[in-house]
Amino acid sequence: MRKETILFVATSLLVALLGTFLNNSYFQLIPPKLSKNMAGLSPLDPSSYSRPEIAIVTNIELNLSVSFEKKIFTGFVDLHVQKVQEGADEVILDSKDLNITKILETELNTEVKYTIDEPFGEFGSKLTVELPNKNSKDYVFRIEYETSANASGLQWLSPDQTSGKKHPYLFSQFQAVHARSFLPCQDTPGVKNKYAATISAPPQLTVLMSAIRDRTRELHDGKLFHFVQDVPIPSYLIAIAIGALESRKIGPRSHVWAEEEIIEQSAFEFANTEHQLQTAESICGPYVWGIYDLLVLPPSFPFGGMENPCLTFVTPTLLAGDRSLVNVVAHEIAHSWTGNLITNRNFEHFWLNEGFTVFIERKILGRLLSPQDQDFQAMEGLAELKDAVKRLGADSPLTRLVVDLKGLHPDDAFSTVPYEKGQTFLRYLEEAVGGPSVFEPFLRKYFDTYKYESIDTVDFKTFFIKEFCPCGKDNKVKQIDWDLWLYGTGLPPYIPDYDKTVGEISIHLFETLSSWNETAEPTPVIADDVKYMSASQIIYFLQLVLDAPTVWSILKLTEIQRIFELEKNKNSEIKLRWLRICMKSQWEEKIADVLFWLNEVGRMKYVRPLYRDLYAWESARYKAIENFKANKKYMMHVSAYTVEKDLHLNE
Ligand SMILES: *[C@@H]1O[C@H](CO)[C@@H](O)[C@H](O)[C@H]1NC(C)=O
Ligand SMILES: [Zn+2]
C-alpha cells in the first residue's frame, strides 16, 4: 500500500456517502461525464467501484455450470477477503448485470447483507457486502449468482456461427473492465489474485481457462473441468472458452487449440512458438506460467490476441498460411512479463502494459530475424501511430501516454497510442542510457523487482531514476523531459533514427507509382524483385499509399492489385490496408468486399477503420449503417459498442 492511501480513504468515504445519498433515479439521469466520481467509482481506479484499500479480495474459487440454451453461467464464487482498514465494515466489489441470489460467510455459515447500486453507464453496479463481526480479519464469502445473457465480457455463438456448425461456442474477453459481467470481483488491475475454477459443461464440449488444466471428470450428463492459476493475476486476465475444441502439441510446453476444421492450419502457423518463448526468456528471464497454449478463436474475437495467462487467445485472421503474422504471438508472449507479471495499476497507465510489450515483441523479432527487421517493424508502427494522432487530433488528451480516465470508459480511450508512443519512449530511454547492453540488464532488474505487482508510471520513473542517477549534468539521462513524454499530446517528441534498409524497396515502389502520370504515360517498368517482397514490405508499401496526401486513381490501384495478386491474398493486414485504400479512392465495386469482410470478422483493428472509412464517404454511409444494424447481434459487445460510436449512432 502506498502513502497516498490515507488521503484517498478520507475522500473515498466522503464520495461513498455522497454516492449513497445520490443513488436515486434522478441521479441516474445526469449524463455520465458530469457525475464522474460521484457514482462511487474509486479514486485509485476511475474504472472500478472496488476499494481494496478498505478490504481486499485475496483468492477466488469459481464453481459454475454453463447453459447454452439460456446463455448464462450459474453457480457460486467463493471470495476470500481480508480486512485492511481497522474498523472497516464492508467490502466493495464490482458487478455488471449479475443476478445475485444469496451471499454467505462460509466460516460463520451466516447469510450477510449486501446492496447492489443502480448501474452507472458501462461500469456496471457497485456491490457492497457487509463484513459480519468476527474475531479475524479474514472472511470467505460464497456468492450465489448467475450471469446474464447479455454479459458484456462473454460472446455466445450459435452452431452456425462456428466452423463445425454442430455445437455452440462461448468465449470471454474481460480486458479492460468486463470481468465484472462474469463474476463479482474487485475488477481493478490494482488487485491480483490466484484463482481456481470448477466448470461443468455438456459432454461433447471442452472448457479452457487462463490457468493450468488440473483434471477432468465425467458426469452422467456432462463433464467437469478443474483449473488452477497459482500466479496472482488481475481480474481482466481471467478467461474462459467452451466449444468443440481439438488440440495439437506444438512444443514441450505448448498446445494449440481450435475447432477441428482449422486445427492443422493453426498447428502449422504457430509451429515456432517454442522458439519465440525461448527468445523471450533470453531477454526477460524465466517463464513462470508453466504452460503456454494458444487458442484460435472464431472470427468474431475482437482483438488480434489476448494474453490470457497459460492460454493466449488469438484471432483466426492470423492464419495467413505463411507464418507472416506471428509477430502477434511474439507480442502475447512478451505480455507474460509485461502486463501479466508487472501490471498497470489502472488503465490510465496502460502504456506500462502495452508500450513495454511492443518494445519486447520487437526485441524478440530482432533476435529471430535481424536488427533491421526490428527497426522496420517500428517504422510500420510509427506509421500507424501517425494515423491515430491524425484521427484523434494532435492536441487530444487521448494522445497522452498517461491518460485521464475519470468519467471515460477504457474501451473509449483504446488506441494505438499507448502501444506505439510507449515503445518509442522506451527506445528513447534505451538510447539515452547507452543502448541495449545497458538497458536490457536494467529491464531484467525491473521485471525482477516488480514481478507479481501492480504499479503506475511514477513507480517506473522512480525506479529508472534510482538506477541511472546520480549522473553528470551533461548526461542524457538528466535531459529526459519526463513531463513532455508522459503528459504531452501528439506525436512523440523524439523519433529514433530507425534503420530503413528493409523498407527501401517499399519506398522505392511507392515513389515510382506516385510519380507515374497514368493518363499520359505508359505503365512504368516495375523491378523484378518486387515479386519477392515480404508481407511486411507489402504492408508498409500499402501503408504509404494509404497515408499519401493524394488520392490514387482506380487505374493505379488496379496496377497494385495486379502486381501483388491481391485477389488471392490471405494476409489480413494486407487486406485491411488494401480495402482502406480502395475506400479512400472511392472504388464503388469494392464496397461489397468491405461489407462481406466486416460481417465475417470482429477484430476491431479491422472493423473500426473500415466502418469509419465507409462513414466518411457519403454515398457509402447509409450502407455502412444498415450493414452494422443488421449484423450487430453477431458482434461481441466491445466491437459493437465502439463501432456504434464510430458511426455516430448514439449521439
Ligand atoms: C498528366 O498528363 C496530362 C497530359 O499530359 C496533363 O494534362 C496532366 O496535368 C498530368 N497530370 C499530372 C498530375 O501531372
Ligand atoms: Zn498487448
Side-chain angles (χ1 to χ4, degrees):
M1 189 109 0
R2 293 160 61 239
K3 284 206 201 74
E4 301 87 72
T5 310
I6 296 166
L7 200 142
F8 273 135
V9 169
T11 13
S12 49
L13 282 176
L14 204 118
V15 170
L17 270 171
L18 265 174
T20 340
F21 182 61
L22 289 170
N23 188 13
N24 56 37
S25 55
Y26 168 73
F27 179 62
Q28 295 306 321
L29 296 176
I30 302 174
K33 282 237 162 66
L34 294 175
S35 5
K36 288 194 175 178
N37 269 339
M38 286 186 159
L41 291 164
S42 163
L44 293 174
D45 180 346
S47 317
S48 171
Y49 297 101
S50 60
R51 292 302 168 76
E53 71 278 20
I54 298 174
I56 189 167
V57 174
T58 57
N59 196 12
I60 296 172
E61 293 167 273
L62 281 159
N63 198 314
L64 297 170
S65 68
V66 66
S67 162
F68 278 98
E69 293 78 57
K70 294 190 193 157
K71 301 185 176 172
I72 58 168
F73 284 92
T74 315
F76 61 86
V77 60
D78 285 346
L79 294 182
H80 297 240
V81 170
Q82 190 173 65
K83 192 194 289 191
V84 177
Q85 201 184 89
E86 207 54 54
D89 54 8
E90 57 190 30
V91 54
I92 298 170
L93 307 167
D94 294 288
S95 71
K96 189 177 181 191
D97 300 322
L98 299 178
N99 181 11
I100 295 171
T101 46
K102 191 191 214 174
I103 305 185
L104 210 68
E105 207 291 329
T106 59
E107 287 171 4
L108 299 169
N109 196 24
T110 53
E111 262 190 63
V112 296
K113 288 206 196 98
Y114 62 92
T115 56
I116 304 170
D117 288 5
E118 285 295 310
F120 173 69
E122 284 284 313
F123 294 105
S125 296
K126 176 173 166 184
L127 167 60
T128 309
V129 181
E130 177 191 86
L131 297 178
N133 284 329
K134 205 176 175 188
N135 290 330
S136 144
K137 284 186 152 93
D138 297 304
Y139 302 81
V140 181
F141 292 106
R142 173 159 297 183
I143 304 179
E144 294 178 9
Y145 73 102
E146 61 185 37
T147 59
S148 88
N150 56 9
S152 60
L154 300 174
Q155 173 79 336
W156 302 88
L157 304 180
S158 57
D160 63 320
Q161 289 171 273
T162 65
S163 310
K165 315 271 180 217
K166 282 208 253 340
H167 300 288
Y169 200 119
L170 169 276
F171 64 83
S172 68
Q173 171 55 42
F174 294 160
Q175 196 180 32
V177 293
H178 299 286
R180 64 192 67 171
S181 71
F182 181 60
L183 77 159
C185 61
Q186 291 189 319
D187 196 11
T188 166
V191 173
K192 288 180 154 182
N193 294 137
K194 298 178 179 184
Y195 84 90
T198 304
I199 310 285
S200 80
Q204 316 82 352
L205 303 183
T206 299
V207 182
L208 297 175
M209 289 192 81
S210 54
I212 304 284
R213 300 184 302 279
D214 197 29
R215 53 182 187 274
T216 312
R217 209 148 52 85
E218 304 282 336
L219 303 175
H220 69 282
D221 58 348
K223 260 197 280 187
L224 209 55
F225 294 82
H226 191 69
F227 303 90
V228 282
Q229 180 50 268
D230 274 336
V231 181
I233 56 164
S235 51
Y236 75 80
L237 289 178
I238 296 174
I240 185 163
I242 307 178
L245 298 168
E246 299 272 318
S247 72
R248 291 283 181 280
K249 197 170 167 64
I250 52 168
R253 47 190 157 173
S254 300
H255 282 79
V256 64
W257 297 83
E259 283 190 85
E260 191 186 359
E261 290 72 16
I262 56 165
I263 190 70
E264 295 304 339
Q265 231 180 317
S266 303
F268 170 83
E269 206 80 32
F270 304 118
N272 292 333
T273 298
E274 177 60 22
H275 197 29
Q276 294 192 0
L277 269 170
Q278 285 177 12
T279 310
E281 285 185 296
S282 75
I283 299 166
C284 304
Y287 179 80
V288 305
W289 307 88
I291 59 171
Y292 182 86
D293 283 4
L294 286 155
L295 169 65
V296 185
L297 286 133
S300 57
F301 185 62
F303 290 97
M306 178 63 211
E307 65 271 21
N308 298 318
C310 304
L311 182 70
T312 284
F313 283 21
V314 291
T315 163
T317 60
L318 300 188
L319 301 173
D322 58 2
R323 299 180 184 158
S324 55
L325 295 176
V326 290
N327 66 311
V328 172
V329 176
H331 180 91
E332 306 312 329
I333 287 175
H335 269 307
S336 309
W337 291 267
T338 50
N340 296 8
L341 264 196
I342 303 182
T343 309
N344 52 209
R345 181 169 290 141
N346 64 46
F347 290 105
E348 295 183 327
H349 305 278
F350 193 43
W351 82 275
L352 289 178
N353 278 17
E354 296 302 345
F356 273 83
T357 299
V358 172
F359 186 66
I360 302 290
E361 164 200 337
R362 298 209 172 121
K363 280 187 179 291
I364 296 172
L365 292 176
R367 303 278 210 281
L368 291 175
L369 304 169
S370 74
Q372 287 77 23
D373 282 286
Q374 182 179 344
D375 273 19
F376 180 54
Q377 297 281 335
M379 267 168 62
E380 277 187 281
L382 185 64
E384 283 177 37
L385 178 62
K386 284 181 177 162
D387 245 18
V389 170
K390 198 162 91 189
R391 180 174 53 79
L392 294 165
D395 55 356
S396 160
L398 291 181
T399 60
R400 295 191 174 118
L401 216 40
V402 181
V403 289
D404 179 0
L405 290 181
K406 276 193 246 19
L408 185 66
H409 196 277
D411 289 344
D412 292 325
F414 186 85
S415 81
T416 197
V417 171
Y419 294 72
E420 293 298 340
K421 198 174 186 179
Q423 92 87 30
T424 313
F425 183 39
L426 291 167
R427 177 81 179 229
Y428 165 73
L429 293 180
E430 183 172 73
E431 285 179 18
V433 301
S437 63
V438 182
F439 200 61
E440 287 180 9
F442 160 78
L443 280 179
R444 281 262 197 146
K445 193 166 173 189
Y446 166 69
F447 297 153
D448 209 48
T449 305
Y450 290 106
K451 64 186 173 195
Y452 311 120
E453 290 186 36
S454 300
I455 67 166
D456 63 22
T457 303
V458 172
D459 295 322
F460 168 69
K461 180 183 166 186
T462 308
F463 184 73
F464 181 93
I465 289 175
K466 198 180 96 220
E467 287 300 306
F468 291 111
C469 296
C471 50
K473 244 202 336 276
D474 308 329
N475 193 300
K476 278 190 173 168
V477 173
K478 270 269 182 334
Q479 292 159 15
I480 298 167
D481 189 340
W482 289 87
D483 284 348
L484 182 63
W485 274 100
L486 298 174
Y487 308 107
T489 60
L491 286 171
Y494 165 83
I495 309 267
D497 185 18
Y498 295 124
D499 185 315
K500 296 190 174 55
T501 319
V502 183
E504 262 163 18
I505 189 167
S506 319
I507 295 170
H508 183 73
L509 179 65
F510 171 73
E511 284 168 352
T512 308
L513 290 175
S514 267
S515 56
W516 170 36
N517 183 341
E518 68 276 32
T519 55
E521 301 161 10
T523 313
V525 178
I526 306 294
D528 240 17
D529 45 359
V530 162
K531 272 195 226 125
Y532 307 105
M533 277 169 75
S534 69
S536 307
Q537 289 168 325
I538 300 172
I539 290 166
Y540 187 56
F541 162 75
L542 294 173
Q543 186 72 42
L544 291 173
V545 179
L546 187 60
D547 294 342
T550 53
V551 174
W552 287 23
S553 68
I554 291 170
L555 196 69
K556 268 192 197 185
L557 300 197
T558 313
E559 188 55 21
I560 297 177
Q561 183 168 265
R562 190 191 60 78
I563 296 171
F564 295 116
E565 303 184 325
L566 290 174
E567 307 279 29
K568 283 193 249 162
N569 161 64
K570 278 173 70 185
N571 182 305
S572 55
E573 292 290 323
I574 291 178
K575 186 165 180 173
L576 167 69
R577 288 166 183 81
W578 168 240
L579 290 176
R580 290 200 68 194
I581 292 167
C582 294
M583 293 303 98
K584 184 181 166 190
S585 298
Q586 307 201 333
W587 190 348
E588 296 262 1
E589 65 186 68
K590 296 287 180 186
I591 294 178
D593 292 354
V594 172
L595 295 178
F596 184 81
W597 203 38
L598 286 175
N599 298 339
E600 195 177 66
V601 297
R603 188 175 177 186
M604 290 191 286
K605 183 183 182 186
Y606 303 154
V607 169
R608 295 190 63 187
L610 283 168
Y611 265 119
R612 286 196 291 253
D613 289 347
L614 289 173
Y615 187 86
W617 177 8
E618 221 161 303
S619 60
R621 185 174 302 165
Y622 176 76
K623 280 184 190 158
I625 291 172
E626 288 306 298
N627 187 72
F628 171 72
K629 284 182 177 164
N631 283 281
K632 189 181 161 190
K633 59 177 176 291
Y634 303 118
M635 295 171 80
M636 193 168 189
H637 175 87
V638 64
S639 303
Y641 171 81
T642 48
V643 170
E644 196 150 58
K645 297 204 167 185
D646 293 331
L647 294 175
H648 306 274
L649 290 176
N650 47 7
E651 282 164 6

